[in-house]
Amino acid sequence: MFNWFYTLFSPNTTPDITQSLIVLLLTISVGFFMGRLRLGNISLGVSAVLFVGIVLGHLGYKMNADLLVFVRDFGLILFVYGIGIQVGPSFFSSFKKEGLRFNALAITTVLLGGLVTYFLFKITHISIENAVGLMSGSVTTLLDLEQQNQHCRKYKINFQIKFLMILP
């Protein structure tokens, strides 16, 4: 009688769109709920969604590959849009005051990150996937990682980039 319920909510190796949407919405809703819980002065906030996703992935829940690509790209678009809306109005006024110095610092940081990554790649003989992920994670350039992913898809390169996050 409730076979459809079991099929919809149990982990599956090849999930359909409906089950993938259920997993996505379950992750978001439970994560937001858990993020609002407080233990003293501590709460996880929005990062609880990430932890719920990790737990569900560990339990065997997967998403449809097509939906996963859409959600990843759409999330990246919303992230960049949100940053642009937040920073946009003050961009030109701050650019007049200290913009040249901050842009030079940003360019220097990315170039030094690239040089250090190149030397680590040559000296330690780590794979190129790990080197690209190391650079993307160390200078927290999510856009760089997405650009590498699009390049690999465009030229049909079977290339799994490992994103190694290094956070302060």
Side-chain angles (χ1 to χ4, degrees):
M1 180 169 170
F2 287 104
N3 190 26
W4 63 270
F5 189 80
Y6 177 76
T7 304
L8 196 59
F9 285 98
S10 64
N12 193 347
T13 56
T14 57
D16 60 353
I17 297 289
T18 309
Q19 187 182 19
S20 297
L21 285 174
I22 294 286
V23 169
L24 182 66
L25 295 175
L26 187 69
T27 303
I28 293 170
S29 59
V30 171
F32 272 130
F33 173 73
M34 289 185 65
R36 305 224 357 120
L37 297 176
R38 300 185 70 73
L39 188 63
N41 286 338
I42 299 172
S43 71
L44 291 176
V46 179
S47 63
V49 176
L50 174 69
F51 295 123
V52 170
I54 290 171
V55 168
L56 287 177
H58 176 72
L59 294 175
Y61 288 94
K62 297 181 187 240
M63 288 187 61
N64 183 295
D66 295 331
L67 185 65
L68 187 60
V69 168
F70 170 75
V71 168
R72 185 191 65 216
D73 291 347
F74 187 64
L76 183 63
I77 289 168
L78 286 179
F79 172 73
V80 172
Y81 175 75
I83 295 296
I85 290 295
Q86 183 179 6
V87 175
S90 63
F91 175 75
F92 290 107
S93 63
S94 67
F95 192 71
K96 286 180 185 177
K97 296 176 186 172
E98 298 172 330
L100 189 59
R101 185 170 49 147
F102 286 148
N103 279 323
L105 181 63
I107 289 170
T108 304
T109 302
V110 172
L111 289 176
L112 282 176
L115 286 173
V116 168
T117 303
Y118 177 75
F119 288 128
L120 282 174
F121 171 70
K122 287 296 185 184
I123 293 169
T124 63
H125 304 292
I126 61 175
S127 66
I128 189 69
E129 297 93 348
N130 287 336
V132 170
L134 180 66
M135 180 182 169
S136 298
S138 65
V139 293
T140 59
T141 54
L142 185 63
L143 294 176
D144 179 46
L145 181 68
E146 181 59 28
Q147 181 184 13
Q148 295 298 327
N149 278 333
Q150 286 182 0
H151 175 76
C152 292
R153 276 183 265 148
K154 179 180 177 182
Y155 294 107
K156 297 186 180 14
I157 300 171
N158 189 7
F159 191 74
Q160 183 67 33
I161 296 175
K162 297 172 174 113
F163 188 48
L164 308 172
M165 286 194 71
I166 300 171
L167 298 174

